Amino acid sequence: MTPIDPTPRPRRNVELVLLVLALAVGIGANALVGVDQQKAFDTDFWFQSSLLAVAALAFHIVLRIRAKYADPVILPLVVALNGLGLAMIHRLDRVGEDTGNNQLRWTLVAMAVSIAVIWFLKDHRILRRFTYISLAASAFLLILPLVPGITAGEILGARVWIKVGSMTFQPGEIAKITLAIFFAGYLSSNRDLILLAGRKVGPIQFPRFKDMGPMIAAWLVSIGVLIFQRDLGSSILFFGLFLVMIYVATSRISWVIIGVGLIAAGGFVASRVFSHVALRIDGWINAFTDEVYGRAFGGSLQIVEGLFGMANGGLVGTGLGQGRPNLVPFANSDMIIASFGEELGLIGLFAIVLMYLLLFTRGFRAALGTRDAFGKLLATGLSFAIALQCFVVIGGVTRLIPLTGLTTPFLAAGGSSLLANWIIVGLLLMISHTARGPVDTTPLAPGEEPDPQKVMPAMPSKPAAVPGTGRNSPDAPTEVVKL
């Protein structure tokens, strides 16, 4: 038998090939839209396509230099999704609108910020030092939309935006990243305390009541977002993020049971106390009722028209540029999945869902491969944030669950969402670089402490290290927590 070479391979050439295919998908979709609008291959098309291609290739070059062992599939998947989103947003632009070009500008800014994250963040474990700073930053970001003078006020029933010059920005999108960093740092440091046994009910071991403080705090934050900002989607996202991370940290189903109970209790009370939640639920249950369909706020027109559009698309769709998705309110943001369902059909929609599935499974793979508890939890949390956001959006559009105000990652129009999700991509690529790269097993000098921030290639010319003594060995003292 041929021995297996254990030396890690960068796989950057594989990424380059996939990146070319991803650009072909996005640019090709934009070309099809241009053909329908009788302005295919004009100056704007070549300019926009060139900018996207240059930005993607620049990202690839940075990965070759700073994170050559990063996952080779994540970047092409995100570029393909972003390219499809740009094409659909351009297609839905009415005369005089500039949403498509604005989305392209945000794409370039978001990719530049993600590149900066990769360039300056040498190791994701540095973020563990900022555990409680991340908590303070999260509180600050969530309070900003309520501060007089900078708040954009209530838009479509929610108070989640602030004014930045002539634009609006949603700080909660960045807050999901800072909350994930805090949860990962706190749970990796306090795992032993949280695991202390409490009352056992049947086969399930519940935690002690005094150890439930973090979950209660996360629940109160999500309820606060629901009450003060009237944002059902963000409330679900924040609490769901904490719930999955504490389950991964402890492997105890009791935390999930308690969390689901808290969600059910909070949702029931909110549906009885807050009118905006009650209207959302009523619009979901009684969507085809004439009274609900025609209601100005909290009605079901958006949902029903989206369902009719997807039904019109059938199996193979009407073709890009050939449907009428502009009949659906907010077709380029909240309902962009319905727009794709109409023009690409069920097959095209399944292809998009499959790309999302591949994206967050690659994130979970990075979590499994990394050798530190903080990285495992952070990669899991960030990947799950994208997965949960996709589920909530697609479930709302297809009337599986009530419609919320979340945006579809990388597809929907929205600069703050695009920026936050590209930052998540940068962090996942850095974690996967650490997970897939070689481990430094160089023996420590007498009295030298392991450096968890340093990742160096193994040096085969030196004697093998004793397990647990390498600078980045999986058994190093700071990395012994396994999830």
Side-chain angles (χ1 to χ4, degrees):
M1 293 180 62
T2 304
I4 299 175
D5 184 7
T7 305
R9 297 181 180 179
R11 304 291 186 186
R12 298 273 66 82
N13 291 335
V14 173
E15 180 184 76
L16 182 59
V17 172
L18 294 176
L19 197 56
V20 171
L21 294 176
L23 288 169
V25 169
I27 295 173
N30 203 14
L32 289 175
V33 168
V35 168
D36 178 71
Q37 297 177 347
Q38 298 182 349
K39 54 180 182 180
F41 308 110
D42 58 4
T43 305
D44 285 344
F45 168 80
W46 289 114
F47 180 69
Q48 295 161 4
S49 301
S50 299
L51 285 178
L52 182 62
V54 168
L57 292 175
F59 205 123
H60 169 74
I61 292 170
V62 169
L63 288 178
R64 282 185 177 270
I65 298 171
R66 303 294 289 187
K68 65 178 182 179
Y69 295 105
D71 192 296
V73 180
I74 291 177
L75 179 60
L77 284 171
V78 174
V79 169
L81 289 168
N82 205 155
L84 285 171
L86 287 169
M88 180 57 73
I89 294 168
H90 275 293
R91 179 258 180 278
L92 292 170
D93 270 353
R94 296 183 176 90
V95 176
E97 289 185 342
D98 196 33
T99 309
N101 288 330
N102 186 54
Q103 185 77 352
L104 178 61
R105 286 190 287 269
W106 271 110
T107 297
L108 298 176
V109 170
M111 293 180 75
V113 173
S114 186
I115 287 172
V117 169
I118 293 172
W119 189 267
F120 293 106
L121 185 66
K122 296 181 179 179
D123 194 295
H124 67 272
R125 286 166 287 194
I126 295 174
L127 296 174
R128 189 171 183 173
R129 303 173 183 172
F130 305 100
T131 296
Y132 291 99
I133 294 177
S134 298
L135 176 62
S138 302
F140 175 75
L141 289 168
L142 292 174
I143 291 172
L144 275 181
L146 306 176
V147 177
I150 62 172
T151 179
E154 190 172 303
I155 301 177
L156 302 175
R159 295 174 60 91
V160 295
W161 287 274
I162 61 173
K163 293 181 291 187
V164 182
S166 59
M167 302 182 299
T168 58
F169 188 80
Q170 190 172 344
E173 289 288 345
I174 306 298
K176 68 185 179 186
I177 302 175
T178 55
L179 280 173
I181 294 171
F182 165 69
F183 291 151
Y186 178 85
L187 293 173
S188 60
S189 300
N190 297 278
R191 180 173 179 266
D192 292 339
L193 176 64
I194 296 172
L195 279 173
L196 289 176
R199 184 183 297 274
K200 190 172 185 180
V201 180
I204 301 175
Q205 187 83 43
F206 284 87
R208 300 182 304 175
F209 181 78
K210 65 180 181 180
D211 295 330
M212 291 175 56
M215 175 166 283
I216 299 297
W219 182 71
L220 290 175
V221 168
S222 63
I223 293 297
V225 170
L226 184 61
I227 295 173
F228 297 108
Q229 297 186 355
R230 298 189 173 189
D231 189 2
L232 179 61
S234 295
S235 178
I236 295 171
L237 178 61
F238 293 152
F239 190 71
L241 175 65
F242 175 76
L243 188 60
V244 75
M245 291 179 74
I246 197 169
Y247 173 68
V248 171
T250 62
S251 300
R252 283 191 175 173
I253 195 66
S254 57
W255 287 105
V256 178
I257 295 173
I258 295 169
V260 171
L262 289 173
I263 291 174
F268 177 79
V269 173
S271 66
R272 294 293 186 271
V273 176
F274 307 118
S275 59
H276 60 283
V277 178
L279 289 174
R280 291 271 189 180
I281 296 175
D282 186 41
W284 168 53
I285 296 175
N286 303 307
F288 292 95
T289 305
D290 290 341
E291 178 186 355
V292 176
Y293 178 84
R295 192 161 53 203
F297 178 76
S300 61
L301 183 147
Q302 195 177 21
I303 303 172
V304 172
E305 292 298 329
L307 291 173
F308 285 157
M310 289 188 288
N312 182 50
L315 187 64
V316 296
T318 60
L320 275 173
Q322 299 294 318
R324 298 294 302 278
N326 53 307
L327 296 178
V328 183
F330 305 104
N332 63 358
S333 54
D334 293 4
M335 302 296 291
I336 198 166
I337 284 294
S339 302
F340 277 109
E342 180 175 356
E343 299 203 337
L344 297 183
L346 184 64
I347 293 175
L349 205 54
F350 274 7
I352 290 174
V353 172
L354 182 60
M355 283 194 284
Y356 279 120
L357 181 64
L358 287 172
L359 176 59
F360 47 76
T361 51
R362 299 304 288 199
F364 291 150
R365 182 172 179 174
L368 289 171
T370 192
R371 291 168 285 274
D372 65 292
F374 174 77
K376 287 180 184 293
L377 287 170
L378 183 58
T380 301
L382 295 175
S383 302
F384 181 79
I386 295 178
L388 181 59
Q389 199 163 338
C390 289
F391 171 77
V392 169
V393 172
I394 297 174
V397 170
T398 56
R399 201 168 163 249
L400 177 66
I401 59 176
L403 188 67
T404 66
L406 292 179
T407 55
T408 314
F410 306 108
L411 287 181
S416 49
S417 174
L418 199 58
L419 176 62
N421 287 311
W422 269 104
I423 292 173
I424 289 175
V425 167
L427 292 173
L428 288 177
L429 286 168
M430 288 305 300
I431 294 172
S432 68
H433 167 65
T434 304
R436 295 163 60 89
V439 180
D440 181 17
T441 56
T442 308
L444 295 174
E448 184 180 357
E449 293 293 331
D451 182 4
Q453 309 300 340
K454 191 174 182 181
V455 177
M456 296 172 57
M459 302 177 66
S461 60
K462 293 189 177 183
V466 177
T469 60
R471 288 187 176 87
N472 266 293
S473 121
D475 303 308
T478 56
E479 310 297 338
V480 296
V481 180
K482 294 183 179 179
L483 306 181

